[in-house]
Every structure is written in structure tokens, then in C-alpha cells.
mmCIF file of all heavy atoms in Angstrom:
data_model
loop_
_atom_site.group_PDB
_atom_site.id
_atom_site.type_symbol
_atom_site.label_atom_id
_atom_site.label_comp_id
_atom_site.label_asym_id
_atom_site.label_seq_id
_atom_site.Cartn_x
_atom_site.Cartn_y
_atom_site.Cartn_z
ATOM 1 N N TRP N 1 -15.962 -44.231 193.929
ATOM 2 C CA TRP N 1 -16.905 -43.142 193.667
ATOM 3 C C TRP N 1 -17.765 -42.880 194.910
ATOM 4 O O TRP N 1 -17.994 -41.735 195.290
ATOM 5 C CB TRP N 1 -17.774 -43.470 192.454
ATOM 6 C CG TRP N 1 -18.685 -42.359 192.093
ATOM 7 C CD1 TRP N 1 -20.033 -42.321 192.242
ATOM 8 C CD2 TRP N 1 -18.324 -41.098 191.544
ATOM 9 N NE1 TRP N 1 -20.524 -41.121 191.820
ATOM 10 C CE2 TRP N 1 -19.491 -40.347 191.382
ATOM 11 C CE3 TRP N 1 -17.102 -40.528 191.167
ATOM 12 C CZ2 TRP N 1 -19.502 -39.060 190.874
ATOM 13 C CZ3 TRP N 1 -17.116 -39.249 190.650
ATOM 14 C CH2 TRP N 1 -18.293 -38.531 190.506
ATOM 15 N N GLY N 2 -18.240 -43.930 195.563
ATOM 16 C CA GLY N 2 -19.051 -43.774 196.771
ATOM 17 C C GLY N 2 -18.281 -43.091 197.887
ATOM 18 O O GLY N 2 -18.833 -42.255 198.618
ATOM 19 N N GLN N 3 -17.001 -43.414 198.020
ATOM 20 C CA GLN N 3 -16.179 -42.768 199.042
ATOM 21 C C GLN N 3 -16.048 -41.276 198.772
ATOM 22 O O GLN N 3 -16.158 -40.450 199.686
ATOM 23 C CB GLN N 3 -14.790 -43.418 199.092
ATOM 24 C CG GLN N 3 -14.807 -44.815 199.649
ATOM 25 C CD GLN N 3 -13.457 -45.481 199.585
ATOM 26 O OE1 GLN N 3 -12.644 -45.212 198.682
ATOM 27 N NE2 GLN N 3 -13.186 -46.368 200.539
ATOM 28 N N ILE N 4 -15.814 -40.929 197.526
ATOM 29 C CA ILE N 4 -15.664 -39.519 197.175
ATOM 30 C C ILE N 4 -16.952 -38.753 197.456
ATOM 31 O O ILE N 4 -16.933 -37.673 198.059
ATOM 32 C CB ILE N 4 -15.241 -39.368 195.699
ATOM 33 C CG1 ILE N 4 -13.819 -39.865 195.523
ATOM 34 C CG2 ILE N 4 -15.385 -37.923 195.234
ATOM 35 C CD1 ILE N 4 -13.408 -40.047 194.088
ATOM 36 N N VAL N 5 -18.073 -39.302 197.040
ATOM 37 C CA VAL N 5 -19.359 -38.625 197.252
ATOM 38 C C VAL N 5 -19.637 -38.465 198.747
ATOM 39 O O VAL N 5 -20.047 -37.391 199.207
ATOM 40 C CB VAL N 5 -20.503 -39.382 196.542
ATOM 41 C CG1 VAL N 5 -21.861 -38.857 196.961
ATOM 42 C CG2 VAL N 5 -20.336 -39.284 195.030
ATOM 43 N N ALA N 6 -19.392 -39.510 199.530
ATOM 44 C CA ALA N 6 -19.633 -39.437 200.972
ATOM 45 C C ALA N 6 -18.779 -38.349 201.616
ATOM 46 O O ALA N 6 -19.279 -37.521 202.399
ATOM 47 C CB ALA N 6 -19.356 -40.792 201.617
ATOM 48 N N VAL N 7 -17.504 -38.330 201.298
ATOM 49 C CA VAL N 7 -16.608 -37.335 201.886
ATOM 50 C C VAL N 7 -16.977 -35.928 201.435
ATOM 51 O O VAL N 7 -16.982 -34.990 202.237
ATOM 52 C CB VAL N 7 -15.137 -37.663 201.560
ATOM 53 C CG1 VAL N 7 -14.219 -36.506 201.917
ATOM 54 C CG2 VAL N 7 -14.708 -38.925 202.289
ATOM 55 N N CYS N 8 -17.317 -35.776 200.170
ATOM 56 C CA CYS N 8 -17.689 -34.451 199.679
ATOM 57 C C CYS N 8 -18.951 -33.922 200.365
ATOM 58 O O CYS N 8 -19.034 -32.747 200.692
ATOM 59 C CB CYS N 8 -17.868 -34.462 198.166
ATOM 60 S SG CYS N 8 -16.304 -34.511 197.276
ATOM 61 N N PHE N 9 -19.920 -34.794 200.605
ATOM 62 C CA PHE N 9 -21.123 -34.365 201.321
ATOM 63 C C PHE N 9 -20.792 -33.967 202.762
ATOM 64 O O PHE N 9 -21.297 -32.962 203.266
ATOM 65 C CB PHE N 9 -22.204 -35.439 201.285
ATOM 66 C CG PHE N 9 -23.037 -35.393 200.044
ATOM 67 C CD1 PHE N 9 -23.055 -36.462 199.171
ATOM 68 C CD2 PHE N 9 -23.800 -34.269 199.728
ATOM 69 C CE1 PHE N 9 -23.811 -36.421 198.015
ATOM 70 C CE2 PHE N 9 -24.557 -34.217 198.571
ATOM 71 C CZ PHE N 9 -24.574 -35.293 197.712
ATOM 72 N N VAL N 10 -19.945 -34.744 203.420
ATOM 73 C CA VAL N 10 -19.555 -34.426 204.796
ATOM 74 C C VAL N 10 -18.830 -33.078 204.838
ATOM 75 O O VAL N 10 -19.142 -32.210 205.670
ATOM 76 C CB VAL N 10 -18.669 -35.541 205.389
ATOM 77 C CG1 VAL N 10 -18.014 -35.092 206.683
ATOM 78 C CG2 VAL N 10 -19.485 -36.801 205.614
ATOM 79 N N LEU N 11 -17.858 -32.894 203.948
ATOM 80 C CA LEU N 11 -17.097 -31.646 203.951
ATOM 81 C C LEU N 11 -17.952 -30.452 203.532
ATOM 82 O O LEU N 11 -17.815 -29.361 204.087
ATOM 83 C CB LEU N 11 -15.873 -31.771 203.049
ATOM 84 C CG LEU N 11 -14.776 -32.687 203.580
ATOM 85 C CD1 LEU N 11 -13.644 -32.802 202.568
ATOM 86 C CD2 LEU N 11 -14.249 -32.210 204.907
ATOM 87 N N THR N 12 -18.840 -30.649 202.562
ATOM 88 C CA THR N 12 -19.732 -29.570 202.153
ATOM 89 C C THR N 12 -20.628 -29.177 203.326
ATOM 90 O O THR N 12 -20.831 -27.984 203.596
ATOM 91 C CB THR N 12 -20.582 -29.991 200.939
ATOM 92 O OG1 THR N 12 -19.706 -30.325 199.863
ATOM 93 C CG2 THR N 12 -21.520 -28.885 200.506
ATOM 94 N N GLY N 13 -21.136 -30.167 204.055
ATOM 95 C CA GLY N 13 -21.957 -29.882 205.232
ATOM 96 C C GLY N 13 -21.186 -29.129 206.296
ATOM 97 O O GLY N 13 -21.704 -28.180 206.902
ATOM 98 N N SER N 14 -19.927 -29.509 206.526
ATOM 99 C CA SER N 14 -19.138 -28.820 207.552
ATOM 100 C C SER N 14 -18.812 -27.383 207.137
ATOM 101 O O SER N 14 -18.813 -26.480 207.969
ATOM 102 C CB SER N 14 -17.855 -29.597 207.855
ATOM 103 O OG SER N 14 -16.906 -29.474 206.825
ATOM 104 N N VAL N 15 -18.575 -27.178 205.854
ATOM 105 C CA VAL N 15 -18.317 -25.811 205.364
ATOM 106 C C VAL N 15 -19.584 -24.968 205.469
ATOM 107 O O VAL N 15 -19.534 -23.793 205.863
ATOM 108 C CB VAL N 15 -17.757 -25.849 203.922
ATOM 109 C CG1 VAL N 15 -17.750 -24.478 203.288
ATOM 110 C CG2 VAL N 15 -16.349 -26.447 203.916
ATOM 111 N N LEU N 16 -20.738 -25.552 205.146
ATOM 112 C CA LEU N 16 -22.005 -24.829 205.297
ATOM 113 C C LEU N 16 -22.261 -24.497 206.763
ATOM 114 O O LEU N 16 -22.731 -23.398 207.084
ATOM 115 C CB LEU N 16 -23.161 -25.642 204.718
ATOM 116 C CG LEU N 16 -23.199 -25.763 203.200
ATOM 117 C CD1 LEU N 16 -24.313 -26.700 202.757
ATOM 118 C CD2 LEU N 16 -23.355 -24.396 202.547
ATOM 119 N N TYR N 17 -21.972 -25.435 207.654
ATOM 120 C CA TYR N 17 -22.097 -25.166 209.089
ATOM 121 C C TYR N 17 -21.266 -23.954 209.476
ATOM 122 O O TYR N 17 -21.689 -23.118 210.259
ATOM 123 C CB TYR N 17 -21.621 -26.389 209.864
ATOM 124 C CG TYR N 17 -22.656 -27.021 210.743
ATOM 125 C CD1 TYR N 17 -23.828 -27.531 210.209
ATOM 126 C CD2 TYR N 17 -22.462 -27.117 212.106
ATOM 127 C CE1 TYR N 17 -24.771 -28.132 211.007
ATOM 128 C CE2 TYR N 17 -23.396 -27.707 212.921
ATOM 129 C CZ TYR N 17 -24.551 -28.211 212.368
ATOM 130 O OH TYR N 17 -25.487 -28.795 213.163
ATOM 131 N N GLN N 18 -20.056 -23.893 208.924
ATOM 132 C CA GLN N 18 -19.150 -22.796 209.272
ATOM 133 C C GLN N 18 -19.647 -21.464 208.736
ATOM 134 O O GLN N 18 -19.687 -20.483 209.471
ATOM 135 C CB GLN N 18 -17.749 -23.086 208.730
ATOM 136 C CG GLN N 18 -16.755 -21.982 209.039
ATOM 137 C CD GLN N 18 -15.349 -22.327 208.587
ATOM 138 O OE1 GLN N 18 -15.067 -23.455 208.204
ATOM 139 N NE2 GLN N 18 -14.468 -21.352 208.633
ATOM 140 N N PHE N 19 -20.025 -21.417 207.475
ATOM 141 C CA PHE N 19 -20.334 -20.133 206.859
ATOM 142 C C PHE N 19 -21.802 -19.729 206.973
ATOM 143 O O PHE N 19 -22.100 -18.541 207.005
ATOM 144 C CB PHE N 19 -19.893 -20.122 205.401
ATOM 145 C CG PHE N 19 -18.399 -20.184 205.253
ATOM 146 C CD1 PHE N 19 -17.792 -21.286 204.684
ATOM 147 C CD2 PHE N 19 -17.593 -19.159 205.711
ATOM 148 C CE1 PHE N 19 -16.416 -21.361 204.560
ATOM 149 C CE2 PHE N 19 -16.214 -19.220 205.605
ATOM 150 C CZ PHE N 19 -15.621 -20.327 205.025
ATOM 151 N N VAL N 20 -22.715 -20.681 207.045
ATOM 152 C CA VAL N 20 -24.135 -20.342 207.146
ATOM 153 C C VAL N 20 -24.557 -20.178 208.604
ATOM 154 O O VAL N 20 -25.234 -19.215 208.959
ATOM 155 C CB VAL N 20 -25.013 -21.407 206.433
ATOM 156 C CG1 VAL N 20 -26.488 -21.134 206.653
ATOM 157 C CG2 VAL N 20 -24.692 -21.441 204.941
ATOM 158 N N LEU N 21 -24.137 -21.122 209.463
ATOM 159 C CA LEU N 21 -24.516 -21.056 210.876
ATOM 160 C C LEU N 21 -23.503 -20.304 211.732
ATOM 161 O O LEU N 21 -23.761 -20.060 212.906
ATOM 162 C CB LEU N 21 -24.716 -22.470 211.430
ATOM 163 C CG LEU N 21 -25.812 -23.310 210.777
ATOM 164 C CD1 LEU N 21 -25.867 -24.690 211.396
ATOM 165 C CD2 LEU N 21 -27.159 -22.609 210.904
ATOM 166 N N GLY N 22 -22.348 -19.986 211.161
ATOM 167 C CA GLY N 22 -21.332 -19.247 211.910
ATOM 168 C C GLY N 22 -20.613 -20.086 212.955
ATOM 169 O O GLY N 22 -20.047 -19.549 213.896
ATOM 170 N N GLU N 23 -20.616 -21.408 212.798
ATOM 171 C CA GLU N 23 -19.944 -22.312 213.735
ATOM 172 C C GLU N 23 -18.499 -22.517 213.287
ATOM 173 O O GLU N 23 -18.233 -23.254 212.355
ATOM 174 C CB GLU N 23 -20.664 -23.659 213.799
ATOM 175 C CG GLU N 23 -22.021 -23.604 214.426
ATOM 176 C CD GLU N 23 -21.965 -23.316 215.909
ATOM 177 O OE1 GLU N 23 -21.011 -23.741 216.594
ATOM 178 O OE2 GLU N 23 -22.899 -22.644 216.384
ATOM 179 N N LEU N 24 -17.570 -21.853 213.963
ATOM 180 C CA LEU N 24 -16.164 -21.979 213.595
ATOM 181 C C LEU N 24 -15.611 -23.323 214.065
ATOM 182 O O LEU N 24 -15.873 -23.739 215.189
ATOM 183 C CB LEU N 24 -15.353 -20.844 214.207
ATOM 184 C CG LEU N 24 -15.729 -19.441 213.742
ATOM 185 C CD1 LEU N 24 -14.847 -18.410 214.422
ATOM 186 C CD2 LEU N 24 -15.614 -19.326 212.242
ATOM 187 N N PRO N 25 -14.855 -24.021 213.220
ATOM 188 C CA PRO N 25 -14.302 -25.322 213.614
ATOM 189 C C PRO N 25 -13.111 -25.158 214.559
ATOM 190 O O PRO N 25 -12.309 -24.233 214.411
ATOM 191 C CB PRO N 25 -13.872 -25.938 212.282
ATOM 192 C CG PRO N 25 -13.582 -24.768 211.414
ATOM 193 C CD PRO N 25 -14.546 -23.687 211.829
ATOM 194 N N CYS N 26 -13.017 -26.066 215.507
ATOM 195 C CA CYS N 26 -11.877 -26.070 216.417
ATOM 196 C C CYS N 26 -10.690 -26.737 215.710
ATOM 197 O O CYS N 26 -10.842 -27.282 214.614
ATOM 198 C CB CYS N 26 -12.247 -26.823 217.698
ATOM 199 S SG CYS N 26 -12.475 -28.598 217.449
ATOM 200 N N PRO N 27 -9.509 -26.724 216.320
ATOM 201 C CA PRO N 27 -8.350 -27.380 215.686
ATOM 202 C C PRO N 27 -8.579 -28.865 215.383
ATOM 203 O O PRO N 27 -8.137 -29.358 214.350
ATOM 204 C CB PRO N 27 -7.232 -27.192 216.716
ATOM 205 C CG PRO N 27 -7.609 -25.952 217.449
ATOM 206 C CD PRO N 27 -9.109 -25.963 217.518
ATOM 207 N N LEU N 28 -9.283 -29.584 216.270
ATOM 208 C CA LEU N 28 -9.553 -30.996 216.003
ATOM 209 C C LEU N 28 -10.480 -31.156 214.801
ATOM 210 O O LEU N 28 -10.321 -32.088 214.004
ATOM 211 C CB LEU N 28 -10.163 -31.665 217.242
ATOM 212 C CG LEU N 28 -9.232 -31.789 218.449
ATOM 213 C CD1 LEU N 28 -9.992 -32.321 219.660
ATOM 214 C CD2 LEU N 28 -8.043 -32.672 218.132
ATOM 215 N N CYS N 29 -11.443 -30.247 214.658
ATOM 216 C CA CYS N 29 -12.343 -30.284 213.495
ATOM 217 C C CYS N 29 -11.555 -30.062 212.203
ATOM 218 O O CYS N 29 -11.806 -30.720 211.195
ATOM 219 C CB CYS N 29 -13.435 -29.222 213.618
ATOM 220 S SG CYS N 29 -14.517 -29.413 215.044
ATOM 221 N N VAL N 30 -10.618 -29.129 212.249
ATOM 222 C CA VAL N 30 -9.792 -28.842 211.071
ATOM 223 C C VAL N 30 -8.955 -30.073 210.711
ATOM 224 O O VAL N 30 -8.835 -30.432 209.539
ATOM 225 C CB VAL N 30 -8.902 -27.605 211.308
ATOM 226 C CG1 VAL N 30 -7.893 -27.427 210.187
ATOM 227 C CG2 VAL N 30 -9.765 -26.352 211.450
ATOM 228 N N MET N 31 -8.418 -30.759 211.723
ATOM 229 C CA MET N 31 -7.629 -31.967 211.456
ATOM 230 C C MET N 31 -8.501 -33.066 210.843
ATOM 231 O O MET N 31 -8.048 -33.796 209.963
ATOM 232 C CB MET N 31 -6.956 -32.447 212.744
ATOM 233 C CG MET N 31 -5.837 -31.529 213.206
ATOM 234 S SD MET N 31 -5.168 -31.919 214.832
ATOM 235 C CE MET N 31 -4.603 -33.572 214.620
ATOM 236 N N GLN N 32 -9.749 -33.156 211.281
ATOM 237 C CA GLN N 32 -10.662 -34.133 210.690
ATOM 238 C C GLN N 32 -10.956 -33.776 209.237
ATOM 239 O O GLN N 32 -10.997 -34.652 208.367
ATOM 240 C CB GLN N 32 -11.959 -34.190 211.492
ATOM 241 C CG GLN N 32 -11.785 -34.813 212.858
ATOM 242 C CD GLN N 32 -12.969 -34.576 213.764
ATOM 243 O OE1 GLN N 32 -14.080 -34.949 213.411
ATOM 244 N NE2 GLN N 32 -12.736 -33.966 214.909
ATOM 245 N N ARG N 33 -11.139 -32.499 208.959
ATOM 246 C CA ARG N 33 -11.387 -32.059 207.579
ATOM 247 C C ARG N 33 -10.205 -32.414 206.683
ATOM 248 O O ARG N 33 -10.376 -32.905 205.566
ATOM 249 C CB ARG N 33 -11.621 -30.547 207.525
ATOM 250 C CG ARG N 33 -12.940 -30.100 208.089
ATOM 251 C CD ARG N 33 -13.037 -28.588 208.037
ATOM 252 N NE ARG N 33 -14.349 -28.134 208.461
ATOM 253 C CZ ARG N 33 -14.744 -26.873 208.352
ATOM 254 N NH1 ARG N 33 -13.940 -25.947 207.848
ATOM 255 N NH2 ARG N 33 -15.949 -26.525 208.755
ATOM 256 N N LEU N 34 -9.002 -32.163 207.180
ATOM 257 C CA LEU N 34 -7.810 -32.479 206.390
ATOM 258 C C LEU N 34 -7.667 -33.999 206.192
ATOM 259 O O LEU N 34 -7.251 -34.448 205.120
ATOM 260 C CB LEU N 34 -6.569 -31.891 207.052
ATOM 261 C CG LEU N 34 -6.535 -30.363 207.120
ATOM 262 C CD1 LEU N 34 -5.301 -29.885 207.881
ATOM 263 C CD2 LEU N 34 -6.608 -29.738 205.739
ATOM 264 N N SER N 35 -8.037 -34.773 207.195
ATOM 265 C CA SER N 35 -8.008 -36.233 207.047
ATOM 266 C C SER N 35 -9.003 -36.690 205.992
ATOM 267 O O SER N 35 -8.720 -37.605 205.214
ATOM 268 C CB SER N 35 -8.322 -36.908 208.391
ATOM 269 O OG SER N 35 -7.313 -36.646 209.330
ATOM 270 N N PHE N 36 -10.178 -36.058 205.952
ATOM 271 C CA PHE N 36 -11.156 -36.402 204.912
ATOM 272 C C PHE N 36 -10.604 -36.073 203.525
ATOM 273 O O PHE N 36 -10.771 -36.860 202.581
ATOM 274 C CB PHE N 36 -12.473 -35.644 205.131
ATOM 275 C CG PHE N 36 -13.418 -36.310 206.095
ATOM 276 C CD1 PHE N 36 -13.924 -35.610 207.172
ATOM 277 C CD2 PHE N 36 -13.812 -37.620 205.906
ATOM 278 C CE1 PHE N 36 -14.813 -36.215 208.054
ATOM 279 C CE2 PHE N 36 -14.696 -38.232 206.784
ATOM 280 C CZ PHE N 36 -15.194 -37.523 207.863
ATOM 281 N N LEU N 37 -9.959 -34.920 203.398
ATOM 282 C CA LEU N 37 -9.375 -34.563 202.095
ATOM 283 C C LEU N 37 -8.314 -35.576 201.687
ATOM 284 O O LEU N 37 -8.259 -36.005 200.533
ATOM 285 C CB LEU N 37 -8.792 -33.153 202.138
ATOM 286 C CG LEU N 37 -9.805 -32.016 202.207
ATOM 287 C CD1 LEU N 37 -9.104 -30.687 202.471
ATOM 288 C CD2 LEU N 37 -10.632 -31.945 200.927
ATOM 289 N N LEU N 38 -7.473 -35.967 202.627
ATOM 290 C CA LEU N 38 -6.430 -36.956 202.333
ATOM 291 C C LEU N 38 -7.048 -38.311 201.988
ATOM 292 O O LEU N 38 -6.549 -39.018 201.105
ATOM 293 C CB LEU N 38 -5.478 -37.096 203.522
ATOM 294 C CG LEU N 38 -4.282 -38.022 203.331
ATOM 295 C CD1 LEU N 38 -3.432 -37.565 202.145
ATOM 296 C CD2 LEU N 38 -3.442 -38.078 204.588
ATOM 297 N N ALA N 39 -8.153 -38.656 202.649
ATOM 298 C CA ALA N 39 -8.823 -39.924 202.363
ATOM 299 C C ALA N 39 -9.373 -39.966 200.939
ATOM 300 O O ALA N 39 -9.567 -41.042 200.384
ATOM 301 C CB ALA N 39 -9.945 -40.168 203.372
ATOM 302 N N CYS N 40 -9.609 -38.812 200.330
ATOM 303 C CA CYS N 40 -10.129 -38.757 198.951
ATOM 304 C C CYS N 40 -9.043 -38.949 197.900
ATOM 305 O O CYS N 40 -9.360 -39.223 196.742
ATOM 306 C CB CYS N 40 -10.812 -37.416 198.701
ATOM 307 S SG CYS N 40 -12.523 -37.425 199.188
ATOM 308 N N VAL N 41 -7.785 -38.814 198.287
ATOM 309 C CA VAL N 41 -6.703 -38.927 197.303
ATOM 310 C C VAL N 41 -6.689 -40.320 196.669
ATOM 311 O O VAL N 41 -6.596 -40.450 195.446
ATOM 312 C CB VAL N 41 -5.337 -38.596 197.950
ATOM 313 C CG1 VAL N 41 -4.193 -38.905 196.997
ATOM 314 C CG2 VAL N 41 -5.299 -37.132 198.376
ATOM 315 N N GLY N 42 -6.802 -41.364 197.482
ATOM 316 C CA GLY N 42 -6.789 -42.728 196.952
ATOM 317 C C GLY N 42 -7.903 -42.991 195.951
ATOM 318 O O GLY N 42 -7.639 -43.426 194.822
ATOM 319 N N PRO N 43 -9.175 -42.718 196.318
ATOM 320 C CA PRO N 43 -10.259 -42.948 195.355
ATOM 321 C C PRO N 43 -10.122 -42.117 194.077
ATOM 322 O O PRO N 43 -10.410 -42.611 192.992
ATOM 323 C CB PRO N 43 -11.518 -42.550 196.135
ATOM 324 C CG PRO N 43 -11.158 -42.726 197.562
ATOM 325 C CD PRO N 43 -9.702 -42.416 197.652
ATOM 326 N N ILE N 44 -9.660 -40.888 194.197
ATOM 327 C CA ILE N 44 -9.473 -40.055 193.001
ATOM 328 C C ILE N 44 -8.409 -40.675 192.098
ATOM 329 O O ILE N 44 -8.570 -40.743 190.872
ATOM 330 C CB ILE N 44 -9.092 -38.605 193.371
ATOM 331 C CG1 ILE N 44 -10.326 -37.842 193.820
ATOM 332 C CG2 ILE N 44 -8.416 -37.875 192.230
ATOM 333 C CD1 ILE N 44 -11.322 -37.539 192.718
#
């Protein structure tokens, strides 16, 4: 549960950065986001 909450907060923050501050993620940022999503599969 702690892993899921941590990852969700990180990803929510990165999405807010993108849409609220207008900071577009680079390809490496996108790969990190996808790694975070994959890291949530096990805990779920």
C-alpha cells in the first residue's frame, strides 16, 4: 500500500507539473513514468 501511494503521489505531481506549469516531459522522463507504472503492478 505504501509503495502504491508513493508512486501515485510522484506521478500525480509529474502530471501536475506538465499540465499546470506547462513543463513537457522529455523521453527519459516518460520512461521513468512508465517504470513507475510498472512498479505499481506488483503491489496492486
Side-chain angles (χ1 to χ4, degrees):
W1 184 251
Q3 290 175 329
I4 291 167
V5 169
V7 169
C8 285
F9 276 118
V10 168
L11 289 177
T12 301
S14 74
V15 168
L16 289 175
Y17 241 61
Q18 179 176 350
F19 293 114
V20 174
L21 299 178
E23 292 291 327
L24 297 180
C26 69
L28 293 174
C29 299
V30 171
M31 290 172 59
Q32 290 166 58
R33 288 178 175 188
L34 296 176
S35 294
F36 275 127
L37 289 171
L38 184 58
C40 273
V41 172
I44 282 290

